[in-house]
């Protein structure tokens, strides 16, 4: 049987990403930026700008957290892969 761990679409991955940052754990991400894009690495920082939160990985990649659709195998509800 297939099983997919999901996060409600109204929720954000912010708290999960903060936890990975605090515990210095690597993240594997999927973002929907005009198509799905993959990113991996350690979270260097989480930045709040205006009304959006951004994730900065150790390789310098910056992502809008609202565009993240999966973190370490946890997907937003309604996301089909």
């Amino acid at each position: 049987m297939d099983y997919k761990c999901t996060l409600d679409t109204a929720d954000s991955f912010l708290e999960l990403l903060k936890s990975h940052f605090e515990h210095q754990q690597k993240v594997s991400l999927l973002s929907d930026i005009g198509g799905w894009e993959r990113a991996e690495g350690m979270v260097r920082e989480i930045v709040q700008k205006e009304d959006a939160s951004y994730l900065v990985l150790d390789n310098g990649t910056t992502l809008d957290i609202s565009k993240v659709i999966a973190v370490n195998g946890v997907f937003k509800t309604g996301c089909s892969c």
Side-chain angles (χ1 to χ4, degrees), residues 33-74:
I33 309 170
W36 289 12
E37 292 191 24
R38 190 180 171 113
E40 288 188 341
M42 302 293 287
V43 178
R44 183 173 27 171
E45 64 181 316
I46 296 174
V47 180
Q48 181 71 34
K49 291 184 183 177
E50 296 152 17
D51 43 336
S53 296
Y54 294 87
L55 172 72
V56 181
L57 297 178
D58 57 348
N59 64 4
T61 300
T62 302
L63 299 165
D64 181 343
I65 294 175
S66 69
K67 304 287 184 187
V68 174
I69 58 172
V71 175
N72 292 355
V74 177

Side-chain angles (χ1 to χ4, degrees), residues 2-40:
D2 289 337
Y3 175 76
K4 181 167 72 172
C5 185
T6 59
L7 176 78
D8 189 284
T9 53
D11 291 334
S12 165
F13 283 107
L14 182 59
E15 293 306 315
L16 181 60
L17 291 166
K18 283 181 181 178
S19 176
H20 285 296
F21 173 64
E22 291 168 4
H23 293 98
Q24 298 180 354
Q25 297 171 319
K26 184 178 177 182
V27 293
S28 295
L29 309 167
L30 282 177
S31 297
D32 190 357
I33 309 170
W36 289 12
E37 292 191 24
R38 190 180 171 113
E40 288 188 341

